[in-house]
Amino acid sequence: MRNLSLKQLHAVAAIARLGTMTRAAQELNVTPAALTARIKGLEDEIGLLLFDRTHAGLKPTDAGRELLWATDSIGSVLDTCAERLRALRGGRGGKVSLGVVSTAKYFAPSIVGGFARAHPGVEIDLVVGNRGATVETLRDYRVDLALMGRPPRDFPITAEAFGPHPLVVIAPPDHRLAGRRGVTREELAEEPFLVREYGSGTRTVFEEFMAGLLVRRAPIGIDNGSNETIKQTVMAGLGVALISGHTVAMEVSAGRLVLLDVEGLPIRRDWFAVRRADKVLSPAGQAFWDFLVEEGASWLPALPAAIG
């Protein structure tokens, strides 16, 4: 049966439907002799007769009906495949792998949800990691595109900004600088700081903003490599932190954290959609890219206006 072909199955179906070799041969545009030889070869291979010769014409045997079932099944599978291919061409189906830096995980699901409602047939694979890990997944083609605040520069990429990324300084509500206007960088440098790990986009901005000043580090022996750890540590009164405003919108609104009014803050950066320059996106991937660039900003959380 390994040599069974679609041509042979179509021949069996035509004979079963039309009842004679002659009429089936005409439909298939072959000679009756060639069609007879094709069926005889198939019968020899499987060791069973496919048709009974009756006064009413050729009728499929049990073996013939099994092949007709296989023909119908294959036809259904091919129809489904064709529909899926049409969906892929139209961006209505397929899979998109999206790399997301950890700072963006607070709003990335909302963007994905907005896209999914418009494209319910597309599956999104969300890969969250720090900036270094996200850059590596992009470099190694493990994701189709990525969402980050600082695109890499050491390999060719295409990047488009899609929304503002404000960075702010947070403190506990009872902090001595809460409610003060125009806090200077020098005053801020006197506070114990919690900072992200080396290589993170937030760490780079922090070092640029506080350049030239001796900054105190919070005297705690815990890993401050995540936004959640930093937020909880600040709420515990162990220091202040420069952080993405989009990661603290909920806590500030709830009064669990405050934004300090520091000269030069908030720092305005941008969120970027990024992909490798040599990466050809699938129709689904292109649809997500277009959605992110055109509508991504509308899914960013609002930064509270109140200070302290």
Side-chain angles (χ1 to χ4, degrees):
M1 292 293 289
R2 290 188 177 183
N3 296 322
L4 183 65
S5 67
L6 287 176
K7 184 179 292 186
Q8 289 173 315
L9 290 176
H10 288 155
V12 172
I15 295 168
R17 178 164 40 83
L18 298 172
T20 71
M21 287 287 183
T22 301
R23 293 171 63 186
Q26 289 174 343
E27 180 175 285
L28 297 172
N29 197 30
V30 297
T31 66
L35 183 57
T36 300
R38 186 182 300 175
I39 296 301
K40 181 64 168 58
L42 182 55
E43 289 177 331
D44 290 344
E45 181 178 350
I46 65 178
L48 294 166
L49 291 176
L50 297 177
F51 294 97
D52 287 324
R53 277 71 177 172
T54 74
H55 68 279
L58 298 174
K59 299 296 181 183
T61 62
D62 287 344
R65 283 189 287 272
E66 288 296 327
L67 287 186
L68 290 174
W69 172 83
T71 303
D72 290 340
S73 299
I74 292 172
S76 177
V77 170
L78 290 176
D79 287 343
T80 300
C81 179
E83 177 56 34
R84 289 180 175 177
L85 291 174
R86 284 192 292 270
L88 288 173
R89 285 196 300 270
R92 295 182 290 108
K95 182 177 181 179
V96 179
S97 182
L98 175 66
V100 176
V101 294
S102 55
T103 301
K105 69 183 180 182
Y106 298 91
F107 60 83
S110 296
I111 294 177
V112 171
F115 176 81
R117 283 188 283 276
H119 301 79
V122 177
E123 179 184 349
I124 304 294
D125 185 12
L126 204 62
V127 182
V128 180
N130 62 25
R131 182 180 181 276
T134 300
V135 168
E136 287 308 306
T137 60
L138 196 64
R139 185 197 310 275
D140 296 340
Y141 298 92
R142 283 179 279 152
V143 295
D144 298 310
L145 58 144
L147 195 164
M148 63 180 63
R150 185 165 55 95
R153 297 180 180 179
D154 58 338
F155 60 96
I157 55 98
T158 297
E160 288 196 47
F162 68 86
H165 180 198
L167 288 106
V168 298
V169 169
I170 55 171
D174 60 353
H175 193 274
R176 70 180 185 89
L177 297 178
R180 281 267 312 274
R181 297 287 173 176
V183 176
T184 65
R185 290 190 313 132
E186 288 74 17
E187 290 177 295
L188 197 61
E190 297 174 3
E191 298 298 316
F193 257 95
L194 296 143
V195 296
R196 287 291 303 269
E197 72 278 8
Y198 284 105
S200 77
T202 305
R203 175 65 174 261
T204 300
V205 174
F206 168 77
E207 291 174 346
E208 291 173 353
F209 182 68
M210 299 299 287
L213 296 174
L214 184 62
V215 179
R216 289 177 57 194
R217 293 291 297 272
I220 51 177
I222 59 174
D223 177 14
N224 295 314
S226 77
N227 291 311
E228 286 304 314
T229 303
I230 288 176
K231 288 192 294 184
Q232 293 297 325
T233 307
V234 171
M235 282 188 274
L238 296 176
V240 299
L242 179 74
I243 198 167
S244 167
H246 290 144
T247 69
V248 296
M250 185 178 300
E251 290 83 359
V252 173
S253 295
R256 300 171 66 194
L257 289 170
V258 295
L259 306 184
L260 297 185
D261 183 14
V262 180
E263 293 177 353
L265 294 182
I267 298 172
R268 162 65 189 262
R269 292 293 187 268
D270 289 304
W271 287 114
F272 289 89
V274 185
R275 69 174 188 255
R276 287 195 60 113
D278 58 355
K279 174 69 175 179
V280 178
L281 294 177
S282 67
Q286 187 62 53
F288 190 87
W289 177 276
D290 294 341
F291 179 86
L292 184 56
V293 171
E294 295 168 9
E295 301 186 37
S298 65
W299 298 96
L300 297 176
L303 187 65
I307 304 292

